[in-house]
Amino acid sequence: MKLKKSYTTSSPAETKTIARDFAALCGPGSIVCLHGDLGAGKTTFVKGMAAGLKLKDTVKSPSFTLINEYGKGAKKLYHMDLYRLASADLHDLGLEDYLGGEGICVIEWAERLSNVPGKVWHVTIKRVSRADRLLSFTKGKR
Ligand code: ADP
Ligand code: MG
């Protein structure tokens, strides 16, 4: 898949399909920052990524735990959700160990993180209508 800068999807399934293909482009240690309002489709996107990585675990919003881990070994997906934090610092949260590892890190509400590393993917999901979403991808600066 050659990733385009943006996609419009018209269903959760379509968003998951884009996410599945996107996950195939993420090497070990990739960091993916997800942006978008509540209900935009960030968790839906993570579900698609997990499917792309052939992880059987059920992806649920980790709002109450900060981090969910799926898969094992080299095929690990760390799913973080910073919704409940006003602002966050990688170091204070002890996230460096996750971000420096082999697994793929995907972070909902990543804009609350003050010190995001430079080499990351930013995926922004915008609710256009009840079922339409605009997905935009940038690498590095947002
Ligand atoms: P977030 O994690 O950003 O708060 P969720 O993924 O939990 O959002 O929820 C997105 C909601 O929007 C779900 O109820 C989903 O069914 C709905 N939805 C409708 N259309 C789409 C679409 N095109 N892509 C993703 N989700 C969609
Ligand atoms: Mg969510």
Side-chain angles (χ1 to χ4, degrees), residues 74-114:
K75 239 180 59 173
K76 228 170 159 68
L77 182 68
Y78 297 111
H79 178 198
M80 307 170 191
D81 191 326
L82 308 181
Y83 178 62
R84 282 155 59 82
L85 305 176
S87 70
D89 178 277
L90 277 180
H91 181 70
D92 294 348
L93 292 175
L95 294 182
E96 284 148 325
D97 292 344
Y98 294 96
L99 267 61
E102 285 277 280
I104 295 176
C105 284
V106 56
I107 311 169
E108 298 192 40
W109 297 97
E111 58 272 25
R112 301 197 173 171
L113 213 49
S114 53

Side-chain angles (χ1 to χ4, degrees), residues 7-28:
Y7 296 85
T8 306
T9 66
S10 304
S11 68
E14 273 183 46
T15 294
K16 285 184 203 163
T17 300
I18 307 281
R20 191 194 64 202
D21 293 347
F22 171 72
L25 304 173
C26 294

Side-chain angles (χ1 to χ4, degrees), residues 36-42 127 133:
D37 293 338
L38 213 57
K42 300 179 294 300
R127 186 185 187 276
R133 302 290 188 271

Side-chain angles (χ1 to χ4, degrees), residues 30-48:
S30 290
I31 300 169
V32 182
C33 295
L34 296 183
H35 307 274
D37 293 338
L38 213 57
K42 300 179 294 300
T43 302
T44 303
F45 190 90
V46 179
K47 288 180 184 176

